[in-house]
Amino acid sequence: MHDSRKTAHVPRNVRFTSRRQLLKEMSQPAVHRLNAVMRTTRRHRGEWIFVLGDIAESIYYLQQGRMKITGLGDDGQEVLHEIIGPGEIFGDISTILGIPRTTSAQAVEDSLLCEIRRKDFETLLTSNPEIALQFLKSLGLRLKKAEAQLLNLICNDVSTRVREALIELIASQSETSSVEPLRIEITQQDLANLIGASRQKTWKALKELEASRVLRLKYRSILVTAPHKLRHGERLKSHSSEYNVPGV
């Protein structure tokens, strides 16, 4: 059946690279004041930074590695909210509001974290307007990204949402627009949770991309062999008739 829904184009400036740029825009004195209250720690792959319900005592700046932010659905199953890369700030909302954690954060790979305690963060914001403004911009960009994700979920089909999610994941791993193959460490179930689709429909969209030689499916990962095809939004041939979706 023909899908009459129009594709919703997510603004390219509402991406991980936009928020990563915020700290680069700070003056050197502001960066020095920020570094003075940061504590750097290394976290191993699979390690939990915090879990749902924990007391929120710190905010985090991800210097190296990747984190996945998850919650719980109504059925008690884990729901993936996002996967973040270097330059991202997380854990700040609950910390600022002084409420228990509403999400969990787990290292997807070995990571380097900068931690700021709540009291130090509050003092930093009240005494440094420049830093407070940059964090306010970061929150604003996060809100715009959430709005774009909602629009994407409402207006776009699963194939489009898969491509948009892969573009975001590529951007979170690399600041450059490389045309070289790039491996994304994510399971098909996590990708399905990320875009709000069933695993079966997500698998079908991925197999269409694989048949078009855009990517190759690996164990617990996706090797994007032609990133430029995703970025340019090239129209791909439909191979849906070649695959029987499991369980459908």
Side-chain angles (χ1 to χ4, degrees):
M1 180 181 294
H2 175 68
D3 192 344
S4 60
R5 292 178 296 181
K6 294 182 179 180
T7 298
H9 296 286
V10 179
R12 294 296 178 186
N13 61 328
V14 186
R15 293 216 181 272
F16 292 103
T17 49
S18 298
R19 283 156 58 186
R20 185 160 53 229
Q21 186 65 28
L22 288 177
L23 294 183
K24 294 181 180 179
E25 295 175 355
M26 287 187 186
S27 65
Q28 281 301 313
V31 171
H32 289 322
R33 287 191 288 269
L34 190 60
N35 288 335
V37 298
M38 282 185 173
R39 182 173 68 94
T40 303
T41 60
R42 292 193 177 276
R43 303 299 181 96
H44 298 294
R45 177 180 180 179
E47 185 176 348
W48 292 96
I49 312 307
F50 54 78
V51 297
L52 182 71
D54 278 355
I55 297 174
E57 298 179 330
S58 301
I59 71 167
Y60 300 90
Y61 173 79
L62 183 57
Q63 187 171 340
Q64 296 177 6
R66 290 191 305 149
M67 293 278 158
K68 71 174 183 177
I69 310 299
T70 60
L72 290 180
D74 294 337
D75 56 358
Q77 297 297 312
E78 180 181 275
V79 176
L80 178 64
H81 290 317
E82 63 176 335
I83 295 179
I84 61 176
E88 291 290 314
I89 299 166
F90 67 99
D92 48 336
I93 301 298
S94 295
T95 303
I96 293 172
L97 295 177
I99 61 175
R101 298 290 185 190
T102 57
T103 58
S104 301
Q106 183 182 31
V108 176
E109 56 192 46
D110 290 348
S111 302
L112 189 63
L113 278 182
C114 296
E115 178 182 358
I116 309 176
R117 302 292 289 182
R118 180 183 179 184
K119 290 184 178 180
D120 292 332
F121 182 64
E122 290 176 345
T123 300
L124 193 67
L125 294 185
T126 55
S127 60
N128 295 275
E130 179 187 352
I131 295 176
L133 178 61
Q134 293 301 327
F135 275 95
L136 184 61
K137 288 182 179 179
S138 177
L139 289 175
L141 283 171
R142 190 177 307 174
L143 178 59
K144 294 297 292 182
K145 182 173 182 289
E147 291 175 349
Q149 288 177 326
L150 179 59
L151 181 65
N152 190 31
L153 179 62
I154 294 172
C155 299
N156 291 338
D157 58 21
V158 173
S159 294
T160 300
R161 280 143 58 190
V162 165
R163 292 199 301 272
E164 287 292 328
L166 292 176
I167 292 171
E168 286 282 10
L169 291 169
I170 289 172
S172 74
Q173 293 186 210
S174 176
E175 294 189 25
T176 61
S177 298
S178 173
V179 297
E180 297 298 321
L182 187 145
R183 183 183 295 272
I184 301 173
E185 300 292 338
I186 189 173
T187 66
Q188 293 180 39
Q189 184 61 64
D190 277 347
L191 181 59
N193 292 341
L194 188 62
I195 66 171
S198 68
R199 187 182 185 281
Q200 290 84 0
K201 291 183 178 180
T202 301
W203 176 86
K204 181 180 178 182
L206 287 170
K207 292 301 289 185
E208 290 175 356
L209 290 170
E210 186 173 50
S212 298
R213 298 182 180 179
V214 174
L215 56 79
R216 291 206 299 270
L217 299 178
K218 301 291 186 178
Y219 176 69
R220 300 184 67 83
S221 68
I222 298 170
L223 178 64
V224 181
T225 54
H228 60 284
K229 289 186 178 181
L230 289 173
R231 295 192 186 99
H232 296 161
E234 294 181 14
R235 187 174 182 84
L236 304 173
K237 293 181 179 179
S238 174
H239 299 271
S240 58
S241 61
E242 299 179 15
Y243 304 104
N244 294 318
V245 181
V248 177

